[in-house]
Amino acid sequence: MKLQGKIALVLGGAKGIGKGIGLALAKAGATVVLTHYDWPEEAAIMQEELAAIGGDHLAIKIDLREPAAIQELLSTLRARYGTLHILINNIERGGMPVVHGPYTPEQWELEMATTLRAKWWVMRSALPLLQENGEAAVITLSSIAGIVGRSGPASLIFNDGYSAANRAISSFTETWAREGAPSVRVNELMLGFFETRHAEQTRGWDLLSEEQQNAIRNHILLKRTGKIEEIIAAVLFLLRDATYMTGAVLRMDGGYVLGGEKIQPLPPGVE
């Protein structure tokens, strides 16, 4: 897929990963709509950087937990641009045990409303517009919390509700790929420990002791956390080059899921 001239909707764009993806798409020639809700100071900086690139880009403040607001967002897109080619389904709220401690009903509901339900409602609303094109693509961002859960060194970062929501996302990916075929490719980018998500530049990471941080790094086969530019490179690959890939999960975790298990040398045997 050529990105020049495409219309892209990027959720969670105030800062961090969503902002990085949105700006990269704009620089590649796409017209980008970035959503934001929290972080007003960061959102203002994002809007300045987006405007500096030039083009008919748009930043919209929206509470994606509200299905009616999502419908209004898609109506705005249709009225302004007439179509949609790319959806980056990047909205979540993960309560870290090291930050929030034991669960409260409010925290559980917040995680389910953002990490799970909002992604579903956005895709349900955006798919008809995406299908009007001969070629479109969706990338849903998820977390390895859906695989490892609240276990090992990650148990201070991943809690139960966030983990359950991310496991459900992989089921959604397969359903959406079936619904979108053949014109809409739908893939999932499953992230491990990255700066601004789960690792550096997050409140929870800063609350971990140096020993706890190193325990996470040492569980990663590559012995480091990831960088936003590495996520951007994966997103561009999925959009531009992975034209025969749909319904797939691309796990990008530096080998965290495989870590912690040492391989023993082959024994001499008995013969």
Side-chain angles (χ1 to χ4, degrees):
M1 172 190 283
K2 295 180 179 179
L3 299 181
Q4 183 70 40
K6 297 297 191 294
I7 309 299
L9 172 60
V10 182
L11 308 183
K15 62 176 185 171
I17 294 168
K19 171 185 168 181
I21 294 171
L23 295 181
L25 292 177
K27 291 174 182 177
T31 298
V32 177
V33 178
L34 275 165
T35 72
H36 61 95
Y37 182 66
D38 299 320
W39 314 103
E41 294 181 2
E42 290 82 353
I45 295 172
M46 173 270 289
Q47 292 177 64
E48 292 176 0
E49 294 179 7
L50 189 62
I53 296 172
D56 188 23
H57 308 297
L58 185 63
I60 296 180
K61 183 177 181 179
I62 179 176
D63 186 351
L64 292 168
R65 294 171 297 178
E66 299 296 333
I70 295 170
Q71 289 287 355
E72 184 176 348
L73 169 64
L74 270 297
S75 296
T76 298
L77 286 180
R78 181 182 289 277
R80 181 159 179 162
Y81 304 111
T83 190
L84 180 65
H85 302 95
I86 296 167
L87 169 63
I88 308 296
N89 206 344
N90 172 53
I91 174 176
E92 66 163 36
R93 184 65 63 90
M96 299 179 180
V98 69
V99 175
H100 298 287
Y103 253 127
T104 64
E106 293 77 15
Q107 182 64 32
W108 177 279
E109 290 303 319
L110 178 62
E111 290 173 18
M112 292 298 167
T114 52
T115 308
L116 190 64
R117 292 200 299 269
K119 281 189 173 81
W120 189 90
W121 281 108
V122 169
M123 183 62 183
R124 177 185 176 92
S125 301
L127 185 57
L129 193 55
L130 290 161
Q131 286 177 313
E132 293 178 7
N133 296 289
E135 183 183 33
V138 176
I139 300 175
T140 299
L141 274 70
S142 68
S143 168
I144 60 168
I147 296 177
V148 303
R150 185 165 56 89
S151 68
S155 61
L156 294 172
I157 300 296
F158 300 151
N159 62 24
D160 297 335
Y162 181 72
S163 301
N166 276 282
R167 178 161 291 203
I169 294 302
S170 293
S171 173
F172 289 171
T173 297
E174 296 180 357
T175 298
W176 294 338
R178 293 184 178 104
E179 291 179 335
S183 60
V184 182
R185 292 181 291 115
V186 182
N187 292 294
E188 178 181 344
L189 182 57
M190 181 182 287
L191 302 179
F193 285 85
F194 279 83
E195 59 186 8
T196 75
R197 184 161 301 180
H198 306 328
E200 294 89 352
Q201 301 175 51
T202 66
R203 183 182 175 193
W205 186 262
D206 291 339
L207 291 174
L208 298 178
S209 67
E210 183 177 355
E211 180 181 1
Q212 290 167 334
Q213 292 176 358
N214 286 335
I216 291 174
R217 290 192 187 98
N218 289 332
H219 200 282
I220 300 170
L221 294 183
L222 299 185
K223 304 304 179 188
R224 67 173 178 85
T225 57
K227 301 181 182 302
I228 291 178
E229 54 261 35
E230 293 173 309
I231 297 173
I232 293 171
V235 167
L236 293 177
F237 162 73
L238 289 171
L239 292 176
R240 293 193 300 206
D241 303 317
T243 54
Y244 197 59
M245 181 185 293
T246 193
V249 179
L250 179 60
R251 193 175 75 224
M252 194 175 183
D253 67 343
Y256 182 93
V257 170
L258 301 179
E261 298 294 336
K262 305 298 182 182
I263 297 177
Q264 299 298 319
L266 288 171
V270 296
E271 295 183 357

